[in-house]
Amino acid sequence: MDDTIYLDHAATTPLDPEVLAAMLPYFTERYGNPSSIYQLGQESRAAIDQARSACARVLGCDPGEIIFTSGATESDNLALRGVAWGVGLADRESAAKPHIVTTAIEHHAVLHTAQSLERQGFTVSYVAPDSRGVIDTGAIAAAVRPETCLISVMYANNESGAIQPLQEIAGVSRERGVPLHTDAVQAAGSLPLDVDALGVDLLSLSAHKFYGPKGIGLLYVRRGTPLDFQQKGGGQEQGRRGGTENVPGIVGLGTALVRADGWRDAYAGHCARLRDRLADGLFASIPDARLNGPSDPSLRLPNNLNVTIPGIQGETLLLSLDVLGVAASAGSACSPDLAGAIIRSPTTPTW
Ligand code: PLP
């Protein structure tokens, strides 16, 4: 395994040993339930509070605006279902707002949730991207209707690496008075996450995409955004998400997010140099290889390279690469000739 050239950090990243070290005590001696009032429990509570404050500093928000979840899939579900039911059908009699605007390039966590809401009576507009994989702000504006309750547009795409014009889209959201959600999973670690600068009302993250643990994430929800909480249970997360907190995971998420934010510029520069080197080598040795997604580097994640190599199926290529010890990923089933290599440093960052 040690010799593996891991080019699939968009799928997941290895756990940063410092993050693991921060988490370990909460698996062992600090095992208290954060809802317990004795000291052992309160140690866990304090760790959660600390992690929440740390995440809030990175996002530029109030700690109370963060809900810890089991990952971005849950965060996306909560954002869409929560706002749809919170705003959309809050008043069935008079003010039904049963329409959502999203894009055709969202992760399944958004797309399948939107489809499930359609089966429950909502309508959804799926805005298509241009040939570079970029969503046009005008197309979002054109899709918004008086009965739109939510706009959901990802920050950067997990396959093409295309960075979306979120700040422009936030202008539409403000002008039309419609909350804006972004799935920022792939942007985390490479792009700024300040929610006010982005102009978003809800933002999803998953820790394992930036050297944190799997199974933990967060949803930022701007104060005042109506949200129908989906996970009923105990009063955890101020009643917004029931269930005993994943304390080690939350500690890991907070630690990883602060570290990722701290080295963001150096990391992005490092990844962009690796990406460009790989691209130069690929295009020099396979002249008919084609770049997918934006060619303008400012519109593309620094850690993403997505190419089509004519004459070979993505799966065949990936299996051959695997034999050579290279782990990369292909595009979705609808573009079988797409082979994507997502580049990040294979181990703990050292730049
Ligand atoms: N959104 C995007 C853009 C992703 O790339 C992923 C994971 O690949 C998710 C959401 C879901 O994250 P998780 O599987 O951690 O819940």
Side-chain angles (χ1 to χ4, degrees):
M1 247 343 249
D2 282 347
D3 291 337
T4 298
I5 298 174
Y6 184 67
L7 299 181
D8 200 14
H9 288 63
T12 197
T13 58
L15 187 65
D16 177 347
E18 291 220 13
V19 173
L20 176 63
M23 294 170 68
L24 278 177
Y26 297 93
F27 283 113
T28 51
E29 69 264 26
R30 296 189 187 162
Y31 54 83
N33 186 318
S35 297
S36 303
I37 56 167
Y38 43 79
Q39 202 183 328
L40 197 59
Q42 289 311 298
E43 278 173 10
S44 296
R45 167 65 46 214
I48 292 177
D49 290 346
Q50 222 178 330
R52 198 187 306 278
S53 297
C55 292
R57 279 194 296 278
V58 174
L59 301 186
C61 70
D62 193 88
E65 294 175 307
I66 288 174
I67 302 174
F68 290 121
T69 65
S70 61
T73 299
E74 182 186 333
S75 300
D76 288 346
N77 268 265
L78 178 55
L80 267 76
R81 290 182 201 284
V83 173
W85 290 105
V87 182
L89 294 183
D91 181 351
R92 282 167 178 270
E93 297 302 314
S94 58
K97 285 200 163 214
H99 178 245
I100 293 168
V101 174
T102 187
T103 80
I105 54 168
E106 300 297 312
H107 187 270
H108 283 157
V110 167
L111 288 179
H112 287 169
T113 305
Q115 287 159 10
S116 137
L117 284 166
E118 284 187 278
R119 289 191 292 277
Q120 294 175 311
F122 291 86
T123 50
V124 182
S125 300
Y126 300 91
V127 174
D130 64 17
S131 58
R132 301 165 305 168
V134 178
I135 298 293
D136 174 43
T137 305
I140 295 287
V144 173
R145 307 176 191 163
E147 69 271 23
T148 304
C149 62
L150 179 70
I151 303 170
S152 180
V153 179
M154 69 196 328
Y155 194 169
N157 185 262
N158 43 310
E159 289 187 355
S160 70
I163 299 169
Q164 307 303 329
L166 214 48
Q167 284 160 307
E168 272 179 35
I169 293 169
V172 175
S173 135
R174 267 195 305 276
E175 205 179 293
R176 308 289 286 272
V178 180
L180 173 63
H181 165 249
T182 194
D183 176 333
V185 166
Q186 294 293 335
S190 300
L191 300 176
L193 293 176
D194 186 291
V195 289
D196 286 339
L198 292 172
V200 298
D201 301 296
L202 303 106
L203 179 144
S204 305
L205 290 181
S206 238
H208 70 104
K209 306 290 185 174
F210 45 90
Y211 301 92
K214 295 170 181 60
I216 186 76
L218 64 78
L219 179 67
Y220 156 77
V221 186
R222 187 176 294 279
R223 184 152 284 128
T225 308
L227 199 75
D228 184 35
F229 308 122
Q230 300 296 300
Q231 188 156 309
K232 319 290 182 199
Q236 292 91 352
E237 295 298 285
Q238 295 164 353
R240 299 171 303 178
R241 196 244 183 203
T244 302
E245 298 90 336
N246 172 359
V247 185
I250 291 170
V251 169
L253 164 62
T255 309
L257 190 59
V258 168
R259 285 170 68 75
D261 190 57
W263 62 49
R264 178 162 42 83
D265 289 344
Y267 181 76
H270 174 75
C271 290
R273 282 189 294 279
L274 286 177
R275 174 196 63 192
D276 294 345
R277 210 170 123 195
L278 179 59
D280 289 348
L282 263 176
F283 294 125
S285 52
I286 312 172
D288 53 356
R290 243 186 14 251
L291 180 71
N292 299 309
S295 49
D296 176 350
S298 70
L299 292 179
R300 175 173 215 120
L301 283 174
N303 52 17
N304 174 290
L305 179 65
N306 188 323
V307 295
T308 294
I309 298 172
I312 184 162
Q313 290 287 317
E315 198 178 312
T316 311
L317 180 60
L318 293 185
L319 290 175
S320 309
L321 284 172
D322 189 32
V323 170
L324 297 170
V326 178
S329 67
S332 62
C334 48
S335 30
D337 64 343
L338 203 75
I342 318 295
I343 305 153
R344 285 187 190 170
S345 171
T347 52
T348 304
T350 49
W351 43 88

